Amino acid sequence: MAVALISSERSKDPVTQVGACIVSPEKRILGIGYNGMPNGCSDDEMPWGKGDPNPLHNKKLFVCHAEMNCIINKVSNDVRGCQMYVSLYPCNNCAKIIIQSGIKEVVYYEDKNIHKDEAKASSYMFQKAGIIVR
């Protein structure tokens, strides 16, 4: 979890910095990620807000979440059966990526968004897929 928390500090998000870390069953780090803009899209030129009525002026449509970056940037071809440590409870889109990757356990640090529909959908999918969440 400490690695996930430290990696979150690399995020340029002014409000919510999130980090993630994949660990093998042998407790080896296989991937690290944090929330940020896609490669080639300057963090200084992309929108980081979330209250503008124009969705194209908000980060939601653009930002790559820590979990996705962690899975994409992994150093192993296979993460099936691994654990993911993440500093914030995963949203529904990240839950789908986590499930599809074969990760079997998610350990989260903070759940400030647990009341949102996105987190409720994540919980439902994790339960149906047999993913351990703690």
Side-chain angles (χ1 to χ4, degrees):
M1 185 58 74
V3 172
L5 293 169
I6 289 169
S7 69
S8 73
E9 294 178 15
R10 295 202 35 104
S11 173
K12 302 290 190 285
D13 192 321
V15 177
T16 305
Q17 296 175 309
V18 181
C21 176
I22 298 172
V23 179
S24 73
E26 298 79 28
K27 303 300 182 202
R28 292 191 181 104
I29 294 173
L30 301 180
I32 298 171
Y34 57 90
N35 58 321
M37 294 299 168
N39 291 335
C41 298
S42 171
D43 289 330
D44 298 326
E45 296 172 5
M46 299 299 289
W48 283 106
K50 61 181 194 176
D52 196 298
N54 181 344
L56 295 175
H57 295 165
N58 295 302
K59 66 181 178 179
K60 186 174 184 173
L61 297 178
F62 304 105
V63 73
C64 298
H65 288 187
E67 299 92 332
M68 180 176 74
N69 280 328
C70 189
I71 291 168
I72 289 172
N73 295 324
K74 68 189 181 307
V75 296
S76 171
N77 287 335
D78 193 4
V79 293
R80 284 180 285 185
C82 291
Q83 292 177 302
M84 177 179 277
Y85 291 83
V86 62
S87 60
L88 185 64
Y89 192 86
C91 72
N92 61 307
N93 286 318
C94 290
K96 291 183 277 188
I97 295 169
I98 290 166
I99 292 165
Q100 291 297 90
S101 75
I103 289 171
K104 289 298 176 194
E105 184 174 1
V106 175
V107 181
Y108 66 92
Y109 182 75
E110 186 179 358
D111 65 357
K112 72 176 187 174
N113 297 326
I114 201 75
H115 64 283
K116 293 183 178 180
D117 289 338
E118 291 88 346
K120 290 176 184 177
S122 297
S123 295
Y124 183 72
M125 287 186 284
F126 285 147
Q127 180 183 12
K128 291 293 184 187
I131 306 296
I132 298 166
V133 180
R134 58 184 178 93

